[in-house]
Amino acid sequence: FMISQIYNTILYQPIFNLLVFFYNIIPGHDLGLAILLITIVLKLVLYPFSVKSIKAQKSLQELQPQINELRKKYKDNPQELTKQTMTLYRQQKVSPFSSCLPLLIQLPIFIAVYQVFRQGLANSQNLNILYPFIKNPGLINTISFGFLELSKSNIILAVLAGLAQFWVSKMLVVKKQPAVSGAKDEDMTAAVNKQMLYFMPLVTVFIGVSLPSGLTFYWLITTLLTGLQQWYVFKKINHQHENIGQKNY
């Protein structure tokens, strides 16, 4: 009970109140625009964690050829492979788990947003959890942009979310290394990357069609913002590497 109360106080209630606040101040009280604003706010709050995760993903991507070499060298000695791989991570100051941290942090936030749409907006009685300084709109109109019903599922938004996920995953695909005689790990890595490239977008579409489109819209915007962050950080890292290469030259 205490955990549930803490969750409601720290996550659910603030997110719900912020959404209603944006809904109140937006001309025409458009819920879709309110979702857009709250998504931007949440992404800004999580920005430091997201950047750390993206940098870790980029570092892991760059280390993949060396990891593949270790797999070839110690293919018959799993214990030594694990030891050498962890040594490589330490030398390069890369944590294989750091890219997962933002996902773990975002999970309870996503659950809170999910409950806001499934519970908070479904019944006007739930507006009684508003803070005293947040105006009670009485009723929240779930029709957005004049045509989109955010309380029901929408396959078009689900497909768009899947395409956005494909774009984000595409940036993380490790390029296949030149073929080496007797080495199959590169082919296996490329195959796994290719499977994940198409698997995650399909999962996104599958889940998206079962959710209220308000949540799918939030997922779409979050994924697009993540992609833009990823593109910017990758570009910045590549630029730094180019500058280092030119100095060494």
Side-chain angles (χ1 to χ4, degrees):
F1 176 75
M2 183 176 295
I3 295 178
S4 176
Q5 192 172 27
I6 293 175
Y7 164 80
N8 287 329
T9 302
I10 295 178
L11 288 177
Y12 177 79
Q13 194 172 1
I15 291 176
F16 181 76
N17 275 266
L18 185 60
L19 180 63
V20 175
F21 169 75
F22 285 139
Y23 179 80
N24 285 334
I25 65 173
I26 291 174
H29 301 296
D30 194 297
L31 183 59
L33 293 178
I35 293 172
L36 175 62
L37 290 177
I38 199 171
T39 305
I40 293 173
V41 169
L42 291 176
K43 289 299 292 183
L44 289 174
V45 170
L46 295 172
Y47 181 77
F49 301 102
S50 297
V51 170
K52 185 176 181 180
S53 172
I54 292 169
K55 287 182 177 179
Q57 290 172 334
K58 181 65 173 177
S59 297
L60 290 172
Q61 183 188 52
E62 293 174 345
L63 284 179
Q64 194 61 51
Q66 297 179 58
I67 292 174
N68 288 338
E69 288 298 322
L70 290 176
R71 287 174 179 167
K72 289 186 294 182
K73 186 175 181 179
Y74 301 104
K75 61 181 179 180
D76 298 323
N77 192 342
Q79 292 183 342
E80 186 63 23
L81 172 60
T82 301
K83 180 181 177 181
Q84 292 297 327
T85 301
M86 297 310 296
T87 299
L88 177 63
Y89 286 147
R90 285 196 300 271
Q91 290 175 345
Q92 300 297 325
K93 298 180 180 180
V94 174
S95 171
F97 307 108
S98 59
S99 61
C100 301
L101 179 60
L103 295 178
L104 296 176
I105 294 175
Q106 290 184 60
L107 183 59
I109 294 178
F110 184 80
I111 293 174
V113 173
Y114 173 79
Q115 291 185 333
V116 164
F117 284 99
R118 290 302 294 263
Q119 300 175 18
L121 300 180
N123 192 334
S124 60
Q125 293 180 352
N126 292 312
L127 293 172
N128 58 14
I129 66 169
L130 291 176
Y131 298 138
F133 54 86
I134 301 295
K135 179 184 176 182
N136 189 331
L139 181 67
I140 294 180
N141 182 12
T142 55
I143 301 293
S144 180
F145 309 119
F147 66 92
L148 183 60
E149 174 55 81
L150 296 177
S151 65
K152 298 179 180 179
S153 62
N154 186 292
I155 189 171
I156 295 178
L157 279 179
V159 171
L160 290 175
L163 291 174
Q165 183 61 54
F166 177 82
W167 173 51
V168 171
S169 300
K170 185 72 172 176
M171 285 190 240
L172 296 173
V173 172
V174 178
K175 292 182 180 179
K176 185 177 177 181
Q177 302 301 310
V180 179
S181 178
K184 297 182 179 180
D185 285 327
E186 288 84 354
D187 293 332
M188 185 178 297
T189 300
V192 170
N193 284 332
K194 187 174 182 180
Q195 289 176 0
M196 292 303 295
L197 176 64
Y198 295 103
F199 177 72
M200 287 306 297
L202 289 176
V203 170
T204 299
V205 174
F206 178 76
I207 296 177
V209 295
S210 65
L211 297 174
S213 58
L215 188 59
T216 308
F217 182 60
Y218 163 79
W219 194 340
L220 169 62
I221 300 302
T222 296
T223 306
L224 289 174
L225 292 176
T226 299
L228 290 174
Q229 285 182 349
Q230 198 168 269
W231 172 81
Y232 174 74
V233 173
F234 279 14
K235 183 179 180 181
K236 190 174 181 180
I237 292 175
N238 291 334
H239 183 66
Q240 290 174 346
H241 288 177
E242 289 175 0
N243 288 338
I244 293 174
Q246 290 175 356
K247 289 180 180 179
N248 292 335
Y249 180 78

